[in-house]
Amino acid sequence: MGFSQTTAHVLLGCCSSAFLMEILMARKPSSANLVTFLQFFFISLYGFVVTAKLGKVSPKIPLKEYIILVTLFFLTTVANNYVYALHVPSTLHMIIRSASSPASMLVYCCVKRQKPKLNNAIGSVLISVGVTLAMYGGAPTNEENKGTFLYWCIGVTILWTTLFTGVFAGLQQERLYSQYGKHPDEMLFYTHAIPLPLFLGIYPQLVDTSSDLSWDTWLLISLNILSQFYCTHSVHELATKETSVTVTFILTLRKFISLLISSVVFKNSLTIYHVIGTIIVAIGTYVYFDYFSGRRQKPVSMKTKAN
């Protein structure tokens, strides 16, 4: 499968998952944890049957090496889904998560002790400014229920935190790939199977939520689970073929597509701050990845000119 086809799968699967998740949260915000659990369970079940061959295939990467990665991945996934229930608009949710590039650069510089390139630094500043504008435009300051603003603040704080936990998870994934080889299907299975016992802590909530859902909500959840599996599997596949920079760029592009869909379909409040912030984020992303360097005209050497 080539780059274009894999990228198309990522965009299709992840945009579909985000679209269905927004519908679910609009209808049943309390189902966020249940949806997360079912996503983990389905991917684990599939991996146990297909990847692990019912336990007959031993992991190529030692299980103890997954502990840090699984912890970061689990916290990031659960927190990102839970934010939907904290009155954070999906438009703002997607724009903040688009700031993964500067977060990645900051963590990389601290861990690797290397100075960033100029285009990385400029791009990070632009993205940070754009995200800040989007945050300001998305704040529910005019809500009659003042508690909503508190939930919004908590949700935004969680989103910023998960940016960095996601980056650390990516660094850990790269370390495991470089040390033990690339095994995307195995990693997909174990990163979802190992955290399953952690859901026992919210078992009563999962039971209460599941007993209060209509059949059409269950249908939406089923579609979301399938699309999330398709999304996650495609991202892992892309990570084995391209650099982390390319993967991050594709995922950022996906977030902007989801933002556009959310604004048009769900008529979320899209203020001038959102528009300006989105434009700045887009420009910052291009500068960060030095996209324009490929568009520069190459100088003609004297040797070539002489020939």
Side-chain angles (χ1 to χ4, degrees):
M1 188 183 299
F3 170 75
S4 299
Q5 190 174 1
T6 305
T7 301
H9 289 178
V10 170
L11 296 178
L12 177 61
C14 296
C15 287
S16 299
S17 178
F19 176 77
L20 292 167
M21 190 67 177
E22 186 163 4
I23 296 177
L24 283 169
M25 292 305 100
R27 301 182 60 171
K28 195 71 174 179
S30 60
S31 65
N33 287 333
L34 176 63
V35 174
T36 304
F37 165 72
L38 293 175
Q39 290 173 350
F40 272 69
F41 179 78
F42 177 80
I43 294 176
S44 300
L45 180 62
Y46 176 88
F48 181 70
V49 175
V50 177
T51 304
K53 306 297 182 183
L54 302 177
K56 297 178 181 178
V57 177
S58 301
K60 304 295 188 301
I61 302 175
L63 292 181
K64 64 179 181 180
E65 295 289 348
Y66 280 109
I67 295 177
I68 297 178
L69 176 62
V70 166
T71 302
L72 293 171
F73 175 74
F74 179 78
L75 291 176
T76 302
T77 303
V78 172
N80 276 328
N81 282 350
Y82 181 69
V83 163
Y84 282 101
L86 294 177
H87 304 282
V88 177
S90 293
T91 49
L92 180 58
H93 187 284
M94 296 169 190
I95 292 176
I96 292 179
R97 291 180 66 182
S98 297
S100 55
S101 295
S104 177
M105 185 198 70
L106 179 61
V107 172
Y108 183 86
C109 291
C110 293
V111 174
K112 302 293 184 179
R113 299 183 182 278
Q114 296 180 1
K115 292 183 179 180
K117 296 180 180 179
L118 179 61
N119 63 292
N120 294 154
I122 295 176
S124 296
V125 172
L126 289 174
I127 292 175
S128 299
V129 172
V131 170
T132 302
L133 284 174
M135 287 176 57
Y136 180 79
T141 54
N142 295 327
E143 292 283 349
E144 294 181 1
N145 183 7
K146 295 183 179 179
T148 301
F149 181 74
L150 175 61
Y151 288 133
W152 178 87
C153 291
I154 295 175
V156 169
T157 302
I158 291 176
L159 284 174
W160 276 110
T161 303
T162 56
L163 277 181
F164 292 97
T165 57
V167 170
F168 279 112
L171 289 176
Q172 179 67 4
Q173 182 178 3
E174 288 185 6
R175 186 186 73 82
L176 294 179
Y177 276 161
S178 62
Q179 185 172 352
Y180 297 99
K182 296 181 178 181
H183 308 285
D185 292 334
E186 175 188 308
M187 184 168 289
L188 179 65
F189 166 53
Y190 284 106
T191 52
H192 287 80
I194 295 177
L196 279 179
L198 299 177
F199 285 99
L200 291 174
I202 57 173
Y203 176 76
Q205 178 191 354
L206 297 179
V207 174
D208 291 340
T209 303
S210 60
S211 62
D212 191 34
L213 298 178
S214 59
W215 70 268
D216 53 337
T217 302
W218 277 112
L219 177 60
L220 288 173
I221 291 177
S222 300
L223 293 174
N224 175 264
I225 292 172
L226 293 175
S227 61
Q228 180 61 27
F229 168 75
Y230 190 61
C231 165
T232 309
H233 186 274
S234 300
V235 171
H236 276 72
E237 184 70 23
L238 183 64
T240 63
K241 299 179 179 181
E242 301 295 332
T243 63
S244 59
V245 173
T246 303
V247 174
T248 303
F249 178 79
I250 297 302
L251 293 178
T252 303
L253 176 62
R254 193 281 302 172
K255 292 164 188 172
F256 280 114
I257 295 175
S258 295
L259 171 63
L260 180 61
I261 294 174
S262 175
S263 301
V264 174
V265 176
F266 298 101
K267 295 182 172 60
N268 282 331
S269 177
L270 193 64
T271 66
I272 186 63
Y273 296 103
H274 283 106
V275 175
I276 297 176
T278 301
I279 294 174
I280 295 177
V281 167
I283 296 175
T285 302
Y286 272 46
V287 173
Y288 180 86
F289 293 125
D290 203 15
Y291 176 81
F292 296 108
S293 63
R295 298 290 189 266
R296 297 170 187 158
Q297 184 176 359
K298 296 181 179 180
V300 180
S301 64
M302 296 301 295
K303 183 178 180 180
T304 303
K305 188 175 181 180
N307 293 336

